[in-house]
Amino acid sequence: MSEVRSKKQEVRSKKRTSCLLPLASRLLSLASCLLLLASGAYAELGDKVAGKEVFEKRCKQCHGEKGEGNGIIAEKVYPPPRNFTSGIFKYKTSPGDQVPRDEDLLRTINEGFGEASMPAWKDIMTEKEKRDVIAHEKTFSDVFEIDDPPEEINYGKEVPFSEQSVLKGKELFKKAECPMCHGENGKGDGVKKLKDTWGNREWARNLTKPWTYNAGSKPKNIFARITIGIPGTQMPSFNFTEEERWHVVNYVRFLADETRRVKKEEEDKPLKAKYINIEIPWDADAPEWKGAPFKAVKLFPQDQTEEKYFKPTNDGITWRVLFNDKELAFLIEWDDRTKSVPGDVEAEKLSEGDLFEDAVAIQLPRVILPRIPIEEQLPSIRHGDNEFGVNIWYWSSGTTVRPQLTKVVYSDGIGVKRVEPDNKVGLSGRGVYKGGIWKVILKRGLKTSNPKDDLQFETDRLIPVAFGNWDGSNGGKGNKHTATQWYWLILERS
Ligand code: HEC
Ligand code: HEC
């Protein structure tokens, strides 16, 4: 093996020397030199000194002046920015413990991360700035003091996506114990509590949301992750045959769940509630629910008052609404890696610090005045205000000694509130956790006996709706939660 490698190195250094030959004399070798420079020796084209300037302008705030991962906003982002002096890189396409290829560093800079705060610089930096900053980045650690550029893993022959390949991949996924960390259905709800090399709590990726992958979700990207693992994390490498790895890739692709993807172009469009002329089912898997239009929306962290920024683990929810002549119900679904029921031994094991209940809330205006445009009577997103109050329908997962809880909160802004038990307004809720997903149904009459305080649902009107979410295994409680912006709901009988 080492013999093969030194042969390769020899060939490479020969190629490099030939780059120095008079260009006009060897046109053919010029082409191969350019190729070589474009792949292997890329950063040598970058200017370390100019790169330092770029780094100080664009990267220092997070990665720190000396690349130690301790910039001024490092404390506020999760996972923390990389300490480049460690010489450990997570997302690469070079085998084993070889350093990342320049293409890998460039990819990170261009695309940023799906599930971390690192921005995408593709359209912000020039190509020269990117090359220069890479050259500078490499000065932080001596792992880059090597003669030859790292190699690229061998991808072999890609196995096309097919049902058969997916089935084979599913078996191998189990055999490789991927579910221990990623959960049976890939929702990231494994049973193992994970820490990275630097001692931070880490969570296995939710494989049903490929848009959150940090190193790309193309088949080749996934193949590289399975082949190499993710250094610095507990994600191992797998020495299956090439063909077997391609089957696993196809299974991972199969896991993608489009019902969780936020569609930007759909954001402002109202969600149509579906009318049915039977009782609204409590079973979230009933055909009535399956046939209702749905919307996936993004959750943002709320609490920024704590010293350490709250690090959300749930990034979105999917909601839909059914109504009949008497009642209306929301079905709210979200992927949650942990079922947080205080008192539960398994849940306590996975929890980061104290364990609280998982919870979800729906915020609605208290009244919608006729003849005034809805935009002019929109309550403040943060629990309403003294002009326009809100109803907050709250559901929580219960503890081992107390059942799930549903209540209505009447609020006129943060801290200005009154709580009523659900039975007074006829709100009822029920949640089921299965396979890494919470499915919670909250149901109420279209009308109540108190029209001044409770929203009365009318058809053919835009109704503002917002959501809040708490992950009890991740310190979610009280103000520490995530929430959405306002969305629109409309009830139409036809
Ligand atoms: C807002 C904060 C932020 C800024 C600004 C930022 N980064 Fe990062 N960067 C991160 C975080 C967070 C990570 C680690 C993510 C993880 O571990 O999942 C990271 C990781 C990296 C990595 C490691 C990738 C790997 O494979 O492990 C590279 C390379 C990198 N950043 C380069 C840069 C460069 C170059 C700039 C400036 C052009 C920059 N970053 C600016 C937050 C930032
Ligand atoms: C011991 C725990 C563990 C096992 C086993 C494991 N993973 Fe992971 N996996 C992780 C962690 C942790 C991450 C996220 C690391 C990070 O990016 O910081 C991850 C991330 C990933 C990603 C996302 C890569 C990206 O670009 O963001 C994929 C895809 C993946 N794993 C696939 C698999 C497959 C397939 C298997 C089984 C063949 C597997 N994992 C086994 C812990 C594990």
Side-chain angles (χ1 to χ4, degrees):
M1 176 68 196
S2 65
E3 214 172 283
V4 175
R5 194 141 181 232
S6 57
K7 267 261 166 54
K8 267 194 191 158
Q9 284 173 352
E10 217 172 275
V11 174
R12 272 223 191 89
S13 25
K14 264 201 200 125
K15 272 196 199 154
R16 263 208 215 153
T17 345
S18 70
C19 292
L20 303 173
L21 294 177
L23 295 179
S25 71
R26 310 268 308 263
L27 267 182
L28 205 74
S29 105
L30 170 66
S32 67
C33 280
L34 287 178
L35 257 181
L36 182 74
L37 291 173
S39 59
Y42 176 81
E44 288 163 25
L45 297 176
D47 174 352
K48 284 180 214 166
V49 181
K52 185 165 190 279
E53 241 169 71
V54 179
F55 190 85
E56 284 181 358
K57 182 167 161 209
R58 308 248 186 231
C59 325
K60 187 176 83 170
Q61 314 88 288
C62 287
H63 291 287
E65 189 168 355
K66 300 202 171 84
E68 290 166 338
N70 57 356
I72 49 167
I73 57 170
E75 279 282 293
K76 292 197 163 68
V77 302
Y78 177 82
R82 183 79 66 264
N83 174 350
F84 294 131
T85 66
S86 70
I88 299 172
F89 290 83
K90 286 187 180 179
Y91 313 110
K92 62 194 196 91
T93 53
S94 57
D97 53 9
Q98 290 190 32
V99 297
R101 299 165 64 235
D102 291 329
E103 287 83 345
D104 300 332
L105 299 173
L106 185 63
R107 194 192 174 284
T108 294
I109 293 172
N110 272 332
E111 308 296 332
F113 292 138
E115 222 177 41
S117 53
M118 165 96 178
W121 303 98
K122 190 162 45 195
D123 304 324
I124 300 170
M125 284 162 64
T126 64
E127 293 310 308
K128 177 175 173 353
E129 283 176 325
K130 291 173 198 167
R131 287 197 299 267
D132 292 347
V133 85
I134 288 176
H136 179 63
E137 215 177 292
K138 288 180 173 182
T139 63
F140 292 126
S141 161
D142 58 12
V143 295
F144 289 101
E145 286 170 17
I146 43 171
D147 294 333
D148 289 298
E151 294 155 6
E152 183 174 13
I153 55 159
N154 186 2
Y155 292 93
K157 193 168 172 287
E158 178 172 345
V159 177
F161 188 87
S162 70
E163 202 184 320
Q164 223 186 3
S165 172
V166 168
L167 284 174
K168 281 186 187 156
K170 187 176 179 179
E171 285 307 307
L172 291 158
F173 187 81
K174 282 201 197 119
K175 196 172 152 202
E177 295 189 321
C178 314
M180 182 172 67
C181 299
H182 290 282
E184 289 296 330
N185 306 312
K187 290 281 181 189
D189 57 321
V191 293
K192 198 169 178 205
K193 186 169 179 177
L194 305 169
K195 294 251 164 169
D196 70 14
T197 304
W198 300 274
N200 306 303
R201 177 75 162 102
E202 70 175 3
W203 302 91
R205 195 83 64 239
N206 180 341
L207 299 177
T208 70
K209 296 179 175 176
W211 52 92
T212 66
Y213 291 6
N214 282 348
S217 57
K218 295 203 181 87
K220 268 179 118 177
N221 303 137
I222 303 170
F223 183 91
R225 296 290 75 66
I226 298 168
T227 305
I228 302 158
I230 304 181
T233 79
Q234 294 212 33
M235 165 87 189
S237 63
F238 295 90
N239 59 357
F240 290 152
T241 65
E242 259 157 26
E243 190 195 315
E244 285 172 331
R245 275 174 277 155
W246 278 115
H247 292 316
V248 179
V249 169
N250 286 332
Y251 181 62
V252 170
R253 290 171 67 197
F254 164 80
L255 288 171
D257 179 358
E258 284 297 317
T259 67
R260 296 293 187 266
R261 194 199 281 269
V262 178
K263 299 204 172 60
K264 274 257 169 296
E265 66 283 5
E266 302 271 309
E267 287 229 287
D268 297 333
K269 290 189 196 152
L271 180 84
K272 253 183 88 170
K274 190 178 181 216
Y275 174 76
I276 52 174
N277 57 11
I278 55 164
E279 186 93 6
I280 301 174
W282 277 112
D283 173 10
D285 296 318
E288 288 75 19
W289 282 118
K290 292 250 184 264
F294 60 84
K295 207 189 241 316
V297 295
K298 190 148 176 51
L299 290 161
F300 298 97
Q302 289 302 297
D303 180 52
Q304 301 180 12
T305 57
E306 295 281 309
E307 213 173 286
K308 264 213 161 182
Y309 193 66
F310 175 52
K311 307 157 179 172
T313 32
N314 300 339
D315 59 356
I317 60 166
T318 299
W319 61 288
R320 54 191 101 199
V321 177
L322 287 177
F323 73 108
N324 57 24
D325 294 322
K326 286 196 324 267
E327 290 182 313
L328 164 143
F330 282 83
L331 164 60
I332 304 165
E333 292 176 55
W334 71 98
D335 293 359
D336 189 330
R337 292 178 174 91
T338 47
K339 178 187 181 182
S340 312
V341 172
D344 184 283
V345 183
E346 288 308 309
E348 301 274 359
K349 265 194 236 161
L350 284 172
S351 166
E352 196 56 9
D354 291 339
L355 180 66
F356 307 114
E357 289 171 69
D358 284 334
V360 74
I362 305 171
Q363 181 172 275
L364 298 156
R366 198 176 294 180
V367 283
I368 297 180
L369 303 165
R371 290 181 297 278
I372 298 178
I374 192 72
E375 295 82 3
E376 287 173 23
Q377 48 174 320
L378 197 61
S380 158
I381 188 73
R382 299 218 57 186
H383 304 188
D385 49 66
N386 53 18
E387 197 177 354
F388 302 111
V390 294
N391 293 164
I392 298 172
W393 298 1
Y394 176 89
W395 170 93
S396 71
S397 61
T399 71
T400 45
V401 293
R402 179 177 55 63
Q404 297 179 357
L405 182 90
T406 312
K407 65 185 178 186
V408 181
V409 180
Y410 298 90
S411 172
D412 299 301
I414 291 171
V416 193
K417 64 182 181 189
R418 178 165 61 83
V419 181
E420 296 286 354
D422 52 357
N423 52 10
K424 200 163 158 209
V425 278
L427 180 74
S428 40
R430 219 172 277 179
V432 174
Y433 182 85
K434 214 170 103 195
I437 310 173
W438 268 118
K439 295 185 183 181
V440 175
I441 293 174
L442 283 161
K443 204 192 269 192
R444 206 205 72 181
L446 292 171
K447 309 274 170 272
T448 71
S449 57
N450 191 1
K452 277 209 187 100
D453 254 0
D454 298 314
L455 180 67
Q456 310 294 299
F457 288 96
E458 314 256 356
T459 51
D460 307 312
R461 284 222 62 171
L462 280 181
I463 303 165
V465 187
F467 302 89
N469 179 247
W470 289 256
D471 183 0
S473 300
N474 189 41
K477 193 192 183 203
N479 287 340
K480 283 187 146 192
H481 69 93
T482 50
T484 71
Q485 62 180 61
W486 283 115
Y487 290 95
W488 305 110
L489 170 68
I490 192 157
L491 278 57
E492 286 172 344
R493 277 233 159 67
S494 55

